[in-house]
């Protein structure tokens, strides 16, 4: 023994067996067991259906190595049928991690464990991360892949859903909530995703319905497939439940990351600034020729949208539903904006029931999360006819009106061409509180289109004319020269400026800069009563 060895101070516990070693080994074993979920065979079945496992999804959604998991060791309580099935983690993975460095909370249901069904413990795990997300002000993302309420747990499973529904409502308007449907979603379980801000679905593997094909067959004697009843295309195009549909899990999770990048973490923050190195004063001379000289000729509003936004990047929400109104997120001068635009290339850009509801929900989301609104207008009016009237165009149209009026974020409008009647007022006009209203020289701001107006106000003269068709044309031309322009509205100050189309981006960015400090007072009330 050298003198140095003799004098060395022993570290605590040196030479002794570590008392925590047994538990550490047990912990590693249990973690390993939890990671197995329902086992390799079920995981292979999941892959066979073109689906990723719950853990693979979490890994893809979050920044590499950022996931912190909670409640790995939590187990279910077995239920009332004595099934004896008790899985670590109870069929759901919960925790938090980052997306491009920003914190998010999440759950990911594991279909390989009792079909991802939701019982008491499973729900408690989800509730815990929802509470944490609200407490710290971070977005919440649910990856749903579940057979619904765990049948063995009876009413306890239904109560467990109630716990989640309560939290969805309390978190609404406080933190962004996103649902991905990546497997079955049936019964009352669909209402949790429906109450979140955005619903993603995956082609060929997801469906949502309140009652499945078997119940449909029993009650109304109709044969219908899962896909036709509640598949992604149904919800993207017809019901409007799904805001985004992606071909597979990987692209779905990538799109969620993209969406998160436009949103603030909570309602007290502004959305993140992102400089895409696109000059704010960039002009686009091609825009001067966007509106065709024939007023009845359609054009694609997306050309303008891509031209004005930073880097031409636009995340369209609800692209397949009510195509006559385009809504989505983009950036102007690095700041997120919510864009609402009539689409002349679909139903001439008319407002109907679906477009009104789509627009209203989007406007309310943006207002809740401090996202300025930019409205691009070319609207011939509300859709006429019994289908729309009986379908509630009065009630639904009022939602869009209500949503705009209620919104206190900066609000800017550009009228490109038609802005007729009630639809002009509803589409973020000065009269309902828009901050800045621009018009292109091609704008036509009037009570109605020239043909309809001439037929109403000159009806008797036209009927009495020797050549009624020529008389109608003459009166139409008279009306057009008087009203089919932006000048009457500009004279009244309802239009702040008539601008060159090529300068639209520059004008919008400048306006958004000065509107940044906008404040608006509202009367005290519990909440308004939007015509739902
Ligand atoms: C318990 C369930 C379950 C459930 C599936 N499993 N759903 N266990 N409760 N709700 C189990 C199955 O027994 C099976 O276990 C495993 O999960 C995989 O299910 P499979 O049927 O083999 O898979 P698949 O053929 O793909 O069919 C998936 C399915 C089907 C379509 C989801 O399982 C199904 O119809 N489940 C019931 C759906 C349902 O009606 N849920 C209640 C909805 S009402 P083993 O051990 O055999 O592998 C609801 C109310 C919410 O949720 C109320 C909120 C207020």
């Amino acid at each position: 023994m050298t003198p140095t060895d003799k004098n060395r101070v022993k570290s605590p516990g040196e030479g002794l067996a570590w008392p925590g070693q047994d538990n550490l080994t047990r912990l590693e074993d249990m973690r390993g067991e939890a990671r197995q979920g329902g086992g390799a065979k079920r995981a292979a079945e999941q892959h066979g259906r073109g689906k990723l496992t719950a853990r693979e999804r979490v890994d893809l959604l979050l920044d590499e190595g950022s996931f912190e998991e909670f409640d790995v060791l939590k187990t279910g309580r077995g239920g009332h049928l004595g099934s004896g099935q008790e899985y670590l983690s109870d069929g759901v993975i919960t925790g938090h991690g980052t997306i491009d460095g920003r914190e998010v909370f999440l759950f990911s249901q594991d279909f390989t464990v009792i079909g991802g069904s939701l019982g008491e413990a499973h729900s408690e795990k989800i509730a815990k991360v929802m509470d944490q997300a609200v407490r710290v002000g971070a977005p919440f993302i649910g990856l749903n892949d579940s057979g619904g309420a765990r049948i063995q747990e009876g009413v306890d499973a239904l109560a467990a859903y109630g716990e989640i529904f309560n939290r969805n409502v309390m978190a609404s308007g406080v933190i962004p909530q996103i649902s991905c449907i990546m497997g079955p979603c049936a019964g009352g379980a669909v209402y949790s995703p429906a109450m979140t801000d955005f619903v993603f679905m995956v082609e060929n593997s997801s469906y949502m319905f309140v009652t499945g094909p078997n119940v449909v067959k029993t009650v109304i004697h109709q044969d219908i497939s899962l896909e036709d009843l509640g598949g992604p295309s149904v919800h993207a195009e017809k019901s409007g439940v799904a805001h985004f549909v992606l071909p597979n899990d990987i692209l779905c999770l990538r799109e969620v990351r993209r969406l998160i990048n436009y949103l603030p973490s909570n309602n007290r923050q502004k959305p993140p600034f992102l400089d895409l190195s696109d000059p704010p004063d960039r002009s686009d001379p091609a825009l001067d020729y966007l509106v065709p000289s024939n007023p009845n000729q359609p054009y694609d509003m997306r050309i303008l949208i891509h031209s004005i936004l930073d880097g031409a990047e636009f995340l369209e929400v609800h692209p397949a539903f009510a195509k006559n109104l385009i809504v989505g997120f983009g950036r102007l001068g690095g700041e997120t904006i919510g864009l609402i635009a009539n689409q002349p290339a679909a139903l001439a850009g008319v407002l109907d029931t679906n477009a009104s509801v789509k627009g209203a929900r989007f406007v309310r989301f943006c207002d809740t999360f401090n996202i300025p609104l930019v409205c691009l207008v070319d609207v011939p009016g509300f859709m006429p006819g019994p289908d729309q009237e009986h379908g509630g165009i009065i009630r639904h149209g009022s939602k869009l009106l209500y949503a705009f009026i209620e919104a206190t974020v900066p609000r800017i409008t550009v009228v490109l061409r038609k802005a007729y009647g009630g639809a002009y007022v509803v589409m973020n006009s000065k009269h309902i509180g828009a901050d800045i209203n621009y018009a292109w020289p091609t704008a036509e701001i009037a009570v109605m289109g020239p043909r309809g107006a001439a037929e109403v106000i000159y009806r008797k003269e036209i009927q009495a004319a020797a050549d009624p068709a020529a008389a109608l044309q003459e009166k139409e031309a008279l009306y057009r020269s008087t009203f089919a322009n932006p000048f009457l509205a500009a004279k009244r100050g309802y239009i702040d400026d008539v601008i060159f189309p090529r300068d639209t981006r520059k004008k919008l960015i400048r306006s958004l800069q000065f509107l940044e400090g906008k404040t608006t007072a509202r009367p005290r009330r519990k909440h308004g009563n939007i015509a739902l």
Side-chain angles (χ1 to χ4, degrees):
M1 185 182 283
T2 64
T4 326
D5 284 341
K6 206 169 124 193
N7 297 335
R8 190 171 65 86
V9 179
K10 279 190 173 180
S11 56
E14 191 174 314
L16 301 174
W18 183 46
Q21 188 57 50
D22 285 353
N23 279 352
L24 188 63
T25 308
R26 277 181 70 189
L27 177 66
E28 284 310 314
D29 289 348
M30 286 193 286
R31 286 211 167 119
E33 185 188 328
R35 270 193 290 272
Q36 291 298 311
K41 185 170 162 279
R42 285 197 169 93
E45 282 168 14
Q46 180 88 345
H47 287 153
R49 295 173 180 189
K51 293 158 70 176
L52 296 176
T53 65
R55 280 182 193 279
E56 288 166 343
R57 288 169 177 164
V58 172
D59 288 345
L60 272 175
L61 176 64
L62 298 177
D63 296 341
E64 202 178 338
S66 71
F67 183 49
E68 296 288 337
E69 188 170 355
F70 297 134
D71 292 331
V72 184
L73 306 187
K74 186 154 178 153
T75 54
R77 282 156 212 161
H80 305 289
L81 289 176
S83 66
Q85 281 179 313
E86 201 180 80
Y87 288 88
L88 289 166
S89 295
D90 203 37
V92 64
I93 295 160
T94 57
H96 66 104
T98 57
I99 290 183
D100 290 317
R102 293 165 64 221
E103 211 67 57
V104 298
F105 285 74
L106 60 81
F107 72 82
S108 178
Q109 289 178 316
D110 185 350
F111 190 79
T112 69
V113 175
I114 327 176
S117 59
L118 184 141
E120 235 183 333
H122 183 121
S123 150
E124 281 166 5
K125 287 184 64 172
I126 294 176
K128 184 192 270 187
V129 274
M130 290 182 89
D131 290 342
Q132 280 162 333
V134 171
R135 216 175 290 137
V136 305
F140 188 73
I141 302 167
L143 308 182
N144 294 266
D145 189 357
S146 165
R150 189 169 300 160
I151 296 163
Q152 296 87 328
E153 295 197 26
V155 69
D156 292 334
L158 303 181
Y161 266 115
E163 292 299 324
I164 294 173
F165 297 160
N166 287 336
R167 284 169 175 81
N168 285 134
V169 174
M170 290 305 129
S172 180
V174 180
I175 52 169
Q177 298 182 82
I178 295 170
S179 299
C180 298
I181 313 300
M182 309 179 97
C185 188
V190 293
Y191 287 112
S192 170
M195 288 192 291
T196 62
D197 298 304
F198 297 102
V199 175
F200 289 71
M201 291 184 80
V202 179
E203 281 171 18
N204 303 319
S205 61
S206 66
Y207 49 86
M208 297 176 82
F209 37 66
V210 173
T211 49
N214 289 342
V215 178
V216 173
K217 173 82 177 156
T218 309
V219 178
I220 60 169
H221 312 294
Q222 187 183 337
D223 285 312
I224 189 159
S225 67
L226 287 171
E227 189 71 22
D228 289 344
L229 186 62
S233 59
V234 167
H235 288 307
E237 292 162 29
K238 293 187 179 162
S239 74
V241 169
H243 299 86
F244 303 94
V245 172
L246 281 303
N248 56 46
D249 285 9
I250 298 171
L251 293 176
C252 174
L253 297 165
R254 198 178 288 170
E255 198 72 346
V256 173
R257 288 177 63 93
R258 194 170 156 225
L259 172 61
I260 285 283
N261 276 324
Y262 284 103
L263 311 182
S265 293
N266 58 63
N267 63 347
R268 302 183 305 278
Q269 293 182 0
K270 277 181 56 176
F273 176 88
L274 187 67
D275 185 0
L276 295 179
S277 306
D278 193 349
D281 58 355
R282 174 174 58 75
S283 74
D284 182 356
L287 290 181
D288 295 349
Y289 301 93
L290 178 65
V291 172
S293 45
N294 174 358
N296 297 322
Q297 194 177 322
Y299 60 93
D300 189 350
M301 184 62 89
R302 283 196 189 84
I303 295 171
L304 173 62
I305 294 172
H306 288 128
S307 163
I308 59 175
L309 292 177
D310 291 0
E313 281 189 23
F314 181 52
L315 177 56
E316 188 168 350
V317 176
H318 260 151
F321 180 66
K323 292 181 179 174
N324 36 329
L325 190 79
I326 299 172
V327 303
F329 299 106
R331 286 197 170 79
L332 280 171
E335 307 282 2
T336 297
I337 57 131
L339 202 137
I340 303 105
N342 308 114
Q343 169 57 296
L347 296 174
V350 76
L351 283 179
D352 58 5
T353 50
N354 286 347
S356 301
V357 174
K358 168 177 168 175
R361 186 147 169 79
F362 184 74
V363 167
R364 296 191 102 214
F365 176 84
C366 291
D367 187 45
T368 300
F369 288 104
N370 313 315
I371 298 172
L373 295 166
V374 172
C375 195
L376 306 174
V377 179
D378 188 344
V379 63
F382 281 99
M383 180 76 128
D387 281 355
Q388 286 292 310
E389 296 291 352
H390 301 174
I393 186 67
I394 299 174
R395 197 159 46 84
H396 296 304
S398 79
K399 292 176 189 172
L400 186 56
L401 182 59
Y402 190 111
F404 269 124
I405 294 174
E406 191 184 40
T408 58
V409 287
R411 290 160 49 188
I412 307 176
T413 295
V414 184
V415 179
L416 279 67
R417 185 168 66 173
K418 297 169 192 167
Y420 294 158
Y424 151 68
V425 179
V426 168
M427 287 299 291
N428 203 32
S429 65
K430 188 67 99 194
H431 322 291
I432 61 167
D435 297 294
I436 292 291
N437 295 69
Y438 292 122
W440 285 7
T442 43
E444 304 174 15
I445 304 172
V447 174
M448 61 175 77
R451 168 67 53 105
E455 279 170 349
V456 173
I457 57 180
Y458 300 115
R459 184 165 47 91
K460 287 190 184 125
E461 275 178 66
I462 292 167
Q463 279 170 355
D467 183 349
L472 173 62
Q473 241 178 14
E474 185 195 319
K475 295 299 183 192
E476 203 181 319
L478 174 67
Y479 181 93
R480 181 172 290 285
S481 67
T482 314
F483 294 105
N485 57 62
F487 305 122
L488 272 179
K491 269 187 190 172
R492 294 279 184 271
Y494 304 145
I495 290 296
D496 297 293
D497 200 4
V498 180
I499 61 171
F500 278 109
R502 63 176 66 196
D503 293 335
T504 306
R505 169 178 164 82
K506 187 163 70 181
K507 293 280 183 186
L508 288 173
I509 292 177
R510 191 66 195 90
S511 299
L512 286 166
Q513 283 167 345
F514 91 82
L515 286 168
E516 201 177 325
K518 177 187 174 186
T519 55
T520 309
R522 289 283 188 250
R524 250 173 63 84
R525 60 181 166 185
K526 189 172 174 189
H527 55 70
N529 189 16
I530 191 167
L532 290 174

